[in-house]
Amino acid sequence: PPEDEWNTGGIYDEHPEWHCVDRQGRRTPRLSYAYEGVQQFVISLLKEMADYPIDGVCLLYNRRPPIIEYEPSLTDGFKTKYGQDPRQIDDRDPRWLSFRAARISQFMRGVRDAMEEVRQKQRRDKRIEVTAVVLSNERENLYYGLDVEEWVKNGLVDTLIPYSSVEGGNSLA
C-alpha cells in the first residue's frame, strides 16, 4: 500500500495526479491505470523482468481492486461520447463498464507488445507468456474494468487464473 514506509518517495508520492479518483471526486490510495504514465511505468517493470530468462509474467488483478475508477480523463471522455456524466448513472451501466475496460485492455495490449519486443530482441523462439489472476466471474471482472473475454479473443493473455474474491463465493478448490 502507498502508506508503507518503504514506498515513501516512489511513483505514488511523485505523481499524485495519477491516483485513482472515486465517484465523489476523492483521491483513493492507489495508482490508476487510466493514465498512460502508470501504464508505461508498469510495462517498463515487466520488460525489465522479461530481460531475465523467465517464461512469462503474471499480473495480479485480484490485489486491491479497483485499478481504475472515475479519473477525469475517463469521466470527460465518457461525457464526450455519451453526453452523460458517469458519476450520475448506475455504476454498473454497461456503457460505463465497457468504456473503462477499454483502457485496461489498452494496457494489456501494451504488455503483450512489450513481451513480444523483448522476445524478438532476445531472439527467443517461444513467446513470453502473459498470465493474469482475475476475479471470480465475468460480472465482477467487468465491474473492475477487466474485459477478460476481449483479452482472450485478441490473444492478449495466455493464462487466466480466476480468484474467488469479495463478491465471490465461488470457491475454486
Side-chain angles (χ1 to χ4, degrees), residues 8 12 22 65 70 72 135 154:
T8 302
Y12 180 84
D22 70 14
Y70 290 85
L135 303 170
N154 291 300

Side-chain angles (χ1 to χ4, degrees), residues 73-114:
S73 64
L74 290 172
T75 57
D76 292 347
F78 187 85
K79 282 188 234 178
T80 299
K81 184 170 183 172
Y82 294 103
Q84 289 183 284
D85 186 331
R87 295 166 294 197
Q88 305 301 317
I89 62 175
D90 187 302
D91 66 347
R92 292 190 184 270
D93 184 300
R95 297 169 303 160
W96 174 240
L97 298 181
S98 177
F99 191 84
R100 286 189 328 163
R103 196 68 62 95
I104 303 301
S105 293
Q106 169 191 322
F107 168 70
M108 290 298 290
R109 274 185 209 82
V111 171
R112 171 54 71 208
D113 291 347

